[in-house]
Amino acid sequence: MTEGKAALGDEQIDNLEAALEQAKFLADQPEFLDLYSKTYSPGYQGYGETKPGDKVLIAIGSSVHLAAPLAIAKVLRERGAKVDIVIADEGVDRLITETDEIEANIRREPWKGHEDTYRPRRYLEIPWVRKLVEWRNYDLHIQGRAFPGSADFRWEGHAWQMLEHFIDKSNRFPRELHDLINKKAWDPVWARGKGAKVRITDKEGTDFSYTLLEDYWTTVAPTTWFAEDPCIGHLMYHPGPPINPLQDASGVIKGTLTHFSKPYPQLTATLEKGKIVSVEGGGGYGEGWRALLEETEDLQYDQFPGKGLFWLWEVAVGTNPWVRRPSKIDTISTGGTEWERYRSGVIHLGFGTAGPSEAENNAGKLGHPYGHLHVHLMWPTVEITAADGTVEVPIKDGRLAALDDPEVRELAAKFGDPAELLDSEWEPQIPGISIPGDYAAYAQNPAPWHLGDHAQR
């Protein structure tokens, strides 16, 4: 990575050097081998099991900044591995739109048997690359922005779209401390939540509740990300499919942000007995969601107790206080607002099918739309009320209670000043909530506050 340095500015050279240092750090970190609690959240990346002679495949989309995979490859080669890089064409980079979440996440064709032509969802596996991994017998596969598929080979993530994501210090958050934060934030659900009522509110207007059914502790498989060992950095406060027929989530969801779309006018989704029954507002995103809601209302999907696509299953809690929004979120190559879902205390809600899965493949065989759509809650409060009336609040106004737990603060002192380690690096800047202004005006046109020149990161 020394070629061409003379043509680069000081900042670019510094960033390339930072990428190499980050790659060296990741090459020393232990790999996260537990498939069912594994996500590619910052702080949990590592390629430390790589040995001389190992064959490694790095697979990325063409919108990914090349400095990260090239730095990883260089470091692993220096340690004796043989490294190939595959770049899948994602088309020309462009500005994000209000409908990109739908473009990124909804599919209509089966993914099995069509590996060569299937257009992968932007952050999950690429089926033909997986076939290549198996055919070439690679020891380590590095690919993906969310979590691995089931595999007989080592599969680690490449969670970074931008170089800014890759060199960000959130990737170096102390893992021992992060483990304890995850445990403390998961205990209110797993250790003390059986049969409890969960109420989730947010400063943008969300207010819904559901029961943590006792069946979740006895009949739910670890593949639903609901188990004693939690989905790290993406704590699942509700299990994934199959959806229990007694699931009772009801209330209203309001928001202006999702993973991949341009910030959209406030969307209001009504949730009844576990399923979205109406969507209002939301600009282009809301319009596309309403069309899908109408199209799928009489369709029966595998793993769902009734008809329709948009059943709630994902109530995912971020746990890393060092995650911050990057300097740009306006193009496909930036990854939009997906990265910030890992910030401690942020919740992203998901409605629809989970996958890649057999259920999704079956839907694709019938030509039915499948996939799931998101709404981000940037300032959530979670109240868990046990049968005896005891109330626990693991998240209050977007802050994890775990960050203020005495054991967490004590462990943090091992790595530095607990206040610096555990105070959030970034606060979402929303008028009328976290900065002065009129939220009603913001809700009508939020994009300028996030994408404009005056946007505060």
Side-chain angles (χ1 to χ4, degrees):
M1 303 217 6
T2 59
E3 298 83 1
K5 274 192 174 183
L8 297 175
D10 290 342
E11 182 177 357
Q12 290 173 298
I13 292 172
D14 290 344
N15 283 342
L16 292 177
E17 295 297 337
L20 281 173
E21 288 303 310
Q22 189 73 288
K24 291 174 184 177
F25 172 81
L26 294 171
D28 289 333
Q29 301 311 300
E31 295 176 13
F32 189 6
L33 301 178
D34 186 347
L35 188 66
Y36 295 125
S37 61
K38 183 176 190 171
T39 59
Y40 298 146
S41 59
Y44 283 93
Q45 305 300 313
Y47 313 121
E49 306 301 318
T50 305
K51 307 180 299 297
D54 275 1
K55 293 195 303 180
V56 179
L57 180 68
I58 302 174
I60 59 170
S62 59
S63 64
V64 172
H65 196 291
L66 287 175
L70 289 175
I72 295 168
K74 177 178 174 61
V75 169
L76 294 182
R77 286 176 187 138
E78 289 174 347
R79 301 189 180 195
K82 298 180 182 299
V83 186
D84 296 325
I85 299 177
V86 169
I87 303 176
D89 185 19
E90 292 182 293
V92 177
D93 193 21
R94 58 172 173 79
L95 294 174
I96 58 173
T97 70
E98 289 181 354
T99 59
D100 269 322
E101 175 81 359
I102 295 170
E103 174 71 15
N105 282 344
I106 300 299
R107 297 290 177 268
R108 295 173 182 271
E109 66 276 13
W111 55 274
K112 284 187 176 181
H114 299 266
E115 288 85 355
D116 293 339
T117 58
Y118 177 78
R119 183 169 57 92
R121 278 175 279 182
R122 196 176 301 151
Y123 58 94
L124 292 178
E125 67 174 88
I126 304 170
W128 62 264
V129 170
R130 179 178 176 135
K131 290 180 69 175
L132 178 62
V133 174
E134 294 170 343
W135 173 59
R136 292 271 295 164
N137 195 30
Y138 284 96
D139 299 289
L140 172 64
H141 178 39
I142 300 174
Q143 187 267 320
R145 285 162 56 181
F147 52 85
S150 58
D152 295 327
F153 47 83
R154 289 158 49 214
W155 192 337
E156 293 296 317
H158 190 292
W160 312 282
Q161 277 290 115
M162 303 171 67
L163 176 57
E164 191 173 344
H165 292 144
F166 184 62
I167 64 178
D168 190 72
K169 76 174 191 174
S170 60
N171 298 294
R172 295 182 178 231
F173 191 79
R175 194 176 295 190
E176 180 184 0
L177 179 59
H178 207 173
D179 283 342
L180 184 59
I181 291 169
N182 276 272
K183 181 183 185 305
K184 292 289 186 177
W186 183 235
D187 278 351
V189 173
W190 182 261
R192 299 183 290 276
K194 188 182 295 185
K197 194 78 169 181
V198 177
R199 183 186 180 193
I200 298 178
T201 57
D202 181 82
K203 290 185 176 183
E204 292 193 71
T206 290
D207 190 346
F208 71 102
S209 301
Y210 59 89
T211 303
L212 287 170
L213 302 172
E214 294 191 15
D215 285 356
Y216 296 160
W217 278 257
T218 58
T219 62
V220 168
T223 51
T224 65
W225 308 286
F226 195 89
E228 184 174 0
D229 293 326
C231 192
I232 293 292
H234 184 282
L235 299 177
M236 290 291 290
Y237 274 27
H238 188 286
I243 302 299
N244 191 300
L246 300 178
Q247 203 256 53
D248 60 356
S250 297
V252 65
I253 314 296
K254 291 178 178 283
T256 55
L257 299 171
T258 184
H259 282 11
F260 302 120
S261 286
K262 175 183 177 180
Y264 47 85
Q266 188 182 61
L267 178 146
T268 300
T270 300
L271 186 62
E272 293 183 0
K273 295 182 179 179
K275 185 175 71 172
I276 296 295
V277 296
S278 69
V279 173
E280 299 175 4
Y285 183 37
E287 183 178 349
W289 198 337
R290 281 189 292 277
L292 285 166
L293 194 67
E294 181 178 356
E295 180 182 358
T296 60
E297 64 180 345
D298 292 323
L299 301 181
Q300 180 64 56
Y301 290 82
D302 294 355
Q303 299 188 323
F304 291 168
K307 293 181 179 180
L309 174 58
F310 295 108
W311 294 79
L312 169 71
W313 61 270
E314 190 172 26
V315 179
V317 177
T319 61
N320 189 325
W322 286 0
V323 168
R324 58 180 297 117
R325 177 179 288 174
S327 59
K328 288 187 177 295
I329 58 169
D330 58 346
T331 63
I332 295 296
S333 60
T334 67
T337 47
E338 183 197 22
W339 178 256
E340 61 204 54
R341 79 196 196 281
Y342 288 129
R343 185 259 199 197
S344 58
V346 168
I347 292 177
H348 66 272
L349 306 175
F351 308 89
T353 58
S357 63
E358 195 62 44
E360 290 193 333
N361 195 61
N362 290 339
K365 289 177 181 178
L366 297 171
H368 295 164
Y370 64 84
H372 62 277
L373 302 180
H374 301 97
V375 175
H376 289 192
L377 307 183
M378 307 306 291
W379 298 97
T381 293
V382 178
E383 298 177 346
I384 301 178
T385 304
D388 65 1
T390 303
V391 178
E392 196 162 358
V393 184
I395 307 173
K396 176 67 174 178
D397 293 335
R399 181 168 177 83
L400 286 179
L403 299 179
D404 300 310
D405 183 278
E407 290 182 45
V408 171
R409 307 294 287 194
E410 181 180 359
L411 179 60
K414 174 181 173 180
F415 303 98
D417 182 350
E420 293 182 3
L421 282 159
L422 300 172
D423 283 352
S424 298
E425 285 284 315
W426 169 72
E427 303 287 348
Q429 304 295 288
I430 298 178
I433 293 180
S434 55
I435 58 176
D438 180 2
Y439 180 80
Y442 161 85
Q444 292 177 10
N445 184 24
W449 291 94
H450 300 285
L451 305 180
D453 291 338
H454 67 290
Q456 299 181 52
R457 302 298 177 207

